[in-house]
Amino acid sequence: MVKLAIVVPCYNEQEVLPETTRQLTELMEKLVAVKKISADSYILYVNDGSSDSTWEIIEKYAGDNKYVQGLKLAANVGHQNALLAGLMTVKEEVDAAISIDADLQDDISVAEEMISKYEEGCDVVYGVRSARKKDTFFKRFTAESFYKLMKLMGAKSVYNHADYRLMSNRALQGLAQFKERNLFLRGIVPTIGYKSDCVYYERKERTAGESKYPVSKMLSFAFDGITSFSIKPMSYIMGIGVFLIIFAIVFAIYAFYSYATGNVVSGWTSIVLSLWFIGGLVLFSIGMVGQYIGKIYIEVKERPRYIIECRVDGSGRVR
Ligand code: UDP
Ligand code: MG
């Protein structure tokens, strides 16, 4: 049987915790009853430096609900770091961990399907939003543009998947090898590898409390995602530089022709030619420097260069 931990980052979530705990406990009881998970599975609430009574509520539940455990961070470190703290805490203790937001906007009823996929041999199971009918047009538009932009900019990510996912013990061990500070979990997880699959659900409205992701935070999150994962923007700049230089060369033919036929203002040819050529050269150079910085960036991250899944020995045994 699978020993499961459900990891829930909480930042000022006093309004939603009672309902979330009720639903998650119900889920745990059900999964234990159908022998999907072992009875020592648990829910881990990670208090991300909340300024309200979130921690007091967690302590109380931990006292009188056998499924609830709490982890208190010393300060507010943000959703991604709080989630990582939770995952790293459970990684030695469980077979698999499911991460989910405290507001339960993600449908917990697909958790069973996630565990089934895990039992079938998947190490990562992504929860994917099949529809966003309940989100406002604005949220949907910005969120979907976000995934598209990520793709265009060369960052690996699963479309319409946020941080609702199951990770096996060994996937968590893999995650532990990523030492970067700029944490963008939904980009890192696909880079770990192993067999993965998706389960689909409809995203719900927040039951109570407010979104901790206003547009400004979302934008900076998107920017973080791109800049933590890809040096493509630099290549694009370099590409524009090359294009401008080529354009300058073609334009030179026209400019010289106009000069030769004499129907230009004096000084036009030299100014216009240097304008395009120097512009192109500057962009190309910035892009070039960017390529080096990008390489340095990749080096300092010290990401694992590979993760070994298994080895088969001479007698055909997999270990
Ligand atoms: N969260 C956190 N630390 C923060 C901000 C948010 O741990 O600094 C948690 C929050 O409690 C919730 C999750 O991250 O469990 C996602 O936040 P939210 O639901 O507000 O984001 P949205 O669903 O609106 O994108
Ligand atoms: Mg939410």
Side-chain angles (χ1 to χ4, degrees), residues 164-181:
Y164 181 33
R165 74 178 82 82
L166 177 144
M167 290 178 79
S168 70
N169 185 287
R170 63 175 184 175
L172 291 171
Q173 307 288 349
L175 178 63
Q177 292 185 48
F178 286 73
K179 302 202 184 83
E180 57 210 83
R181 316 278 110 181

Side-chain angles (χ1 to χ4, degrees), residues 8-13 46-48 76-80 82-83 100-103 105 129 139 203 206 210-213 217-218:
V8 190
C10 307
Y11 175 59
N12 292 347
E13 298 285 11
V46 182
N47 176 36
D48 183 17
N76 178 252
V77 291
H79 178 196
Q80 300 287 294
L83 185 52
I100 190 165
D101 289 352
D103 53 15
Q105 282 184 284
R129 296 154 186 175
K139 176 85 188 179
R203 186 168 156 96
R206 216 178 207 284
E210 273 170 16
S211 170
K212 310 305 181 281
Y213 273 103
K217 249 198 187 170
M218 219 156 78

Side-chain angles (χ1 to χ4, degrees), residues 103-106 133-136 202-208:
D103 53 15
L104 297 191
Q105 282 184 284
D106 305 300
K133 287 187 209 111
K134 300 283 167 56
D135 273 342
T136 59
E202 250 180 60
R203 186 168 156 96
K204 295 184 233 159
E205 273 167 285
R206 216 178 207 284
T207 42

Side-chain angles (χ1 to χ4, degrees), residues 136-165:
T136 59
F137 170 77
F138 183 70
K139 176 85 188 179
R140 191 168 65 218
F141 176 75
T142 47
E144 282 178 353
S145 314
F146 167 86
Y147 294 105
K148 285 181 186 141
L149 185 70
M150 292 285 296
K151 191 158 179 220
L152 182 73
M153 287 299 175
K156 236 180 170 177
S157 68
V158 178
Y159 190 70
N160 262 340
H161 157 72
D163 285 305
Y164 181 33
R165 74 178 82 82

